[in-house]
């Protein structure tokens, strides 16, 4: 899109970044298969906590449930390496979606929402996807990687396959957004929320209150199973509680939600 000053680099992200560890080390690639792959390799080699892998473009971006994630130039694709206590793992998805919501609101003024479990929407359309992958052995976290993909400066009209369900910040705003500002703000937010985890409570509560899903009739697909019901609430571990028409309740750990009304 060639907007002057809208390029990313490791130094432009780290310089005077007001964090203690998130984003203090950034590894930048103009083009990469997937930041998740590099982040895992770096984590295995003992990368410092908070190390960020970021790419201008991914050629094999990974989505949830083995889907492909489109991330052409103009989007943000990054992964953050963390070494949290195992008890914080379920909170990472909530933390990542809130950090994205806060930074989008701060940088663009657009109002963002969360769709269970971890899609960020603007005006009902997906603007960001989050993928958390971790390695846990005997209850010890080897690593956890937060993967965040945001449609920033994209014309969705150029991507007809996702046009009906997706949007971008530039399409919503009618102008381009400085990716650097958004990335830096996002890293500050991630650290703030991550450091707040031991205090408990607040991240879960804010995530729950931001969910557009609750109180709605939904259909949830997980593998080959489909559940229908009223999205009643979410548990502290992030799972969704679905009330069926016969009064029974199902607890759903993962899945794809379609809103019915
Ligand atoms: C989803 O909604 O299915 C999750 C999409 C996650 C995409 C991000 S982009 C940065 C990181 N690298 C990847 O390959 N995937 C995640």
């Amino acid at each position: 899109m060639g907007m002057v000053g809208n390029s990313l680099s490791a130094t432009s992200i780290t310089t005077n970044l007001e964090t203690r560890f998130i984003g203090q080390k950034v590894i930048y690639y103009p083009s990469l298969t997937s930041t998740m792959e590099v982040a895992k390799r770096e984590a295995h080699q003992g990368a410092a906590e908070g190390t960020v892998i970021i790419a201008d473009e991914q050629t094999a971006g990974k989505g949830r449930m083995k889907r492909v994630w489109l991330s052409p130039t103009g989007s943000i694709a990054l992964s953050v390496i963390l070494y949290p206590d195992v008890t914080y793992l379920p909170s990472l998805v909530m933390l990542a979606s809130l950090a994205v919501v806060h930074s989008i609101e701060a940088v663009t003024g657009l109002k963002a929402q969360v769709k269970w479990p971890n899609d960020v929407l603007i005006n009902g359309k997906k603007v960001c996807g989050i993928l958390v992958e971790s390695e846990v052995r005997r209850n010890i976290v080897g690593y956890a990687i937060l993967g965040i993909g945001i449609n920033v400066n994209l014309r969705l009209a150029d991507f007809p396959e996702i046009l009906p369900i997706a949007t971008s910040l530039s399409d919503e705003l009618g102008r381009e957004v400085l990716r650097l500002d958004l990335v830096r703000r996002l890293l500050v937010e991630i650290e703030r929320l991550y450091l707040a985890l031991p205090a408990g409570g607040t991240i879960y509560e804010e995530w729950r209150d931001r969910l557009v899903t609750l109180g709605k009739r939904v259909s949830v697909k997980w593998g080959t199973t489909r559940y229908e019901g009223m999205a009643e609430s979410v548990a502290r571990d992030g799972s969704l509680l679905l009330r069926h028409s016969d009064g029974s309740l199902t607890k759903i750990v993962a899945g794809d939600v379609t809103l019915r009304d």
Side-chain angles (χ1 to χ4, degrees), residues 32-37 53-55 58 60-71 75-80 118-120 126 128-133 145-150 256:
L32 190 63
T33 48
S34 161
T35 59
M36 297 308 275
E37 299 309 319
I53 319 299
I54 185 164
Q58 294 184 121
K62 288 171 64 179
R64 291 171 55 231
M65 321 218 185
K66 302 208 162 84
R67 279 186 298 237
V68 170
W69 178 258
L70 282 181
S71 42
S75 45
I76 287 175
L78 62 81
S79 294
V80 184
N118 50 7
D119 289 348
V120 177
K126 181 159 168 173
C128 165
I130 291 162
L131 181 66
V132 178
E133 293 186 330
I145 296 175
L146 295 188
I148 299 176
I150 309 179
D256 270 326

Side-chain angles (χ1 to χ4, degrees), residues 183-218:
V183 168
R184 286 167 59 96
R185 186 62 188 239
L186 179 62
L187 298 175
V188 169
E189 282 296 315
I190 290 172
E191 182 169 290
R192 193 179 63 77
L193 294 167
Y194 190 60
L195 292 174
L197 283 176
T202 56
I203 289 177
Y204 158 75
E205 279 151 21
E206 193 192 341
W207 173 76
R208 180 195 62 197
D209 294 346
R210 289 265 189 175
L211 286 174
V212 283
T213 322
L214 298 188
K216 304 234 168 77
R217 292 202 55 77
V218 296

